[in-house]
Amino acid sequence: DNNLFQTGEIKINLNDGKPVITEREYLFEPGMTVEKTFFIENQGTWDVYYKLYFDNVEGGLADVLDVEIRGGDTVLLGGKISELTKAQVGAVDDVLKLKDGRDLTVSFHYPESSGNVTQNQYLSFDMKADAVQTKNNPDKLFD
């Protein structure tokens, strides 16, 4: 009768649900780099490990554009969008403390070496975040 159990809540605010880059905002061409800022915030009940990734990736530019997500000068994630999916990325090497947030920057670079071979290609994706509590999770497992 006197046993009390409590569970935690994981709640992440990724840029207030607003897109980091909007459809048709840019017409990418070789040599072009676009940087956009966004934020992530821990609104849960405990410190969390988090990972950022791309989902619903479509289009030929997924294997062309170089993407980098930074927190200040620290690179948190980088590569081709097609390689940065939920199954392929791990936790960011950072703990997001309770009620804490991070201002982040994502850059999209169209390598000049791609030339016009990828002309008329497109890219569509959703940027997402997952989190797990740090408590009792030293291996940063996202089960």
Side-chain angles (χ1 to χ4, degrees):
D1 288 338
N2 294 324
N3 293 327
L4 178 64
F5 294 92
Q6 183 177 354
T7 60
E9 176 186 27
I10 296 174
K11 184 177 180 184
I12 295 295
N13 178 355
L14 183 60
N15 209 44
D16 285 335
K18 297 175 187 167
V20 174
I21 189 169
T22 58
E23 187 176 354
R24 294 178 176 62
E25 185 173 357
Y26 294 96
L27 179 60
F28 281 88
E29 56 189 54
M32 182 176 180
T33 300
V34 170
E35 290 195 342
K36 302 290 280 190
T37 58
F38 66 103
F39 70 90
I40 186 168
E41 185 177 62
N42 180 0
Q43 296 179 339
T45 58
W46 197 262
D47 298 351
V48 296
Y49 300 117
Y50 65 98
K51 66 179 175 178
L52 300 163
Y53 61 94
F54 296 91
D55 197 20
N56 303 316
V57 177
E58 296 179 9
L61 291 179
D63 294 317
V64 176
L65 293 184
D66 294 315
V67 177
E68 192 174 85
I69 297 177
R70 297 182 311 278
D73 293 331
T74 304
V75 175
L76 305 176
L77 189 66
K80 306 291 185 194
I81 288 182
S82 61
E83 302 166 348
L84 303 175
T85 63
K86 183 176 184 174
Q88 294 173 303
V89 301
V92 170
D93 192 23
D94 181 29
V95 172
L96 197 53
K97 300 282 187 188
L98 177 64
K99 307 300 179 199
D100 199 8
R102 301 279 184 279
D103 291 324
L104 305 173
T105 302
V106 60
S107 65
F108 302 91
H109 176 70
Y110 196 142
E112 195 164 338
S113 61
S114 297
N116 290 325
V117 174
T118 53
Q119 188 175 346
N120 296 322
Q121 296 291 318
Y122 74 98
L123 175 64
S124 175
F125 63 85
D126 296 321
M127 183 187 291
K128 294 190 175 185
D130 277 355
V132 293
Q133 289 184 336
T134 58
K135 190 173 188 175
N136 302 318
N137 189 10
D139 296 325
K140 303 177 185 178
L141 299 177
F142 285 77
D143 292 342

